[in-house]
């Protein structure tokens, strides 16, 4: 069973930066698109962006550009989400997902595997 495991969440101060990680249990993911999403209480998951493992092409939601950066580490089979200037309204559960097609997508249903999420709390 393939697993995605997010880590790096926690409590931070407003204005801080944070890097979240997503590690895959199998190397078969290395050919596909990895996405990052976040979910606010009572809301559906919101697309942040995604990265193509082969080549590293990235795609972002327009509202997320400039504050979030997605990168990868081939040797560690891990994808990262770097956040900057966090605000209380960024507090959410952050999820990574894997899409078994080599094109980006913001649709939840287009992703085949999901992690359990990592919670980010931002104090003002």
């Amino acid at each position: 069973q393939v697993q995605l495991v997010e880590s790096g969440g926690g409590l931070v101060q407003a204005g801080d930066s944070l890097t979240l990680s997503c590690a895959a249990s199998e190397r078969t993911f290395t050919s596909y698109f990895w996405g990052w999403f976040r979910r606010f209480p009572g809301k559906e998951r919101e697309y942040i962006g995604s990265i193509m493992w082969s080549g590293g092409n990235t795609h972002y939601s327009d509202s997320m550009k400039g504050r979030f950066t997605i990168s990868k580490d081939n040797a560690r089979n891990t994808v990262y989400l770097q956040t900057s200037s966090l605000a209380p309204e960024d507090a959410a559960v952050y999820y990574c997902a894997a899409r078994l097609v080599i094109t980006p997508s913001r649709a939840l249903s287009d992703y085949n595997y999901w992690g359990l999420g990592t919670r980010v709390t931002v104090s003002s």
Side-chain angles (χ1 to χ4, degrees):
Q1 180 69 28
V2 176
Q3 292 184 332
L4 301 179
V5 180
E6 302 95 336
S7 61
L11 173 64
V12 297
Q13 300 284 332
D16 283 353
S17 300
L18 194 65
T19 297
L20 306 180
S21 302
C22 174
S25 62
E26 295 187 8
R27 296 192 64 80
T28 52
F29 278 137
T30 59
S31 300
Y32 306 126
F33 256 93
W34 296 49
W36 280 98
F37 295 77
R38 65 182 182 181
R39 186 177 66 185
F40 301 108
K43 299 276 185 77
E44 186 53 273
R45 296 178 194 187
E46 174 183 61
Y47 175 74
I48 297 173
S50 55
I51 186 168
M52 183 176 177
W53 189 266
S54 176
N57 294 339
T58 54
H59 176 268
Y60 296 94
S61 169
D62 288 342
S63 62
M64 307 294 181
K65 287 180 181 177
R67 293 187 55 237
F68 295 90
T69 301
I70 299 174
S71 61
K72 62 181 177 68
D73 184 331
N74 289 29
R76 296 179 182 274
N77 212 27
T78 298
V79 173
Y80 302 98
L81 177 68
Q82 295 172 269
T83 67
S84 63
S85 303
L86 288 168
E89 53 265 33
D90 291 314
V93 179
Y94 286 73
Y95 297 87
C96 71
R99 169 170 161 76
L100 304 182
V101 177
I102 54 172
T103 54
S105 174
R106 62 182 70 237
L108 302 179
S109 59
D110 285 343
Y111 287 81
N112 303 91
Y113 298 98
W114 289 87
L116 296 179
T118 184
R119 183 176 297 276
V120 174
T121 304
V122 184
S123 64
S124 58

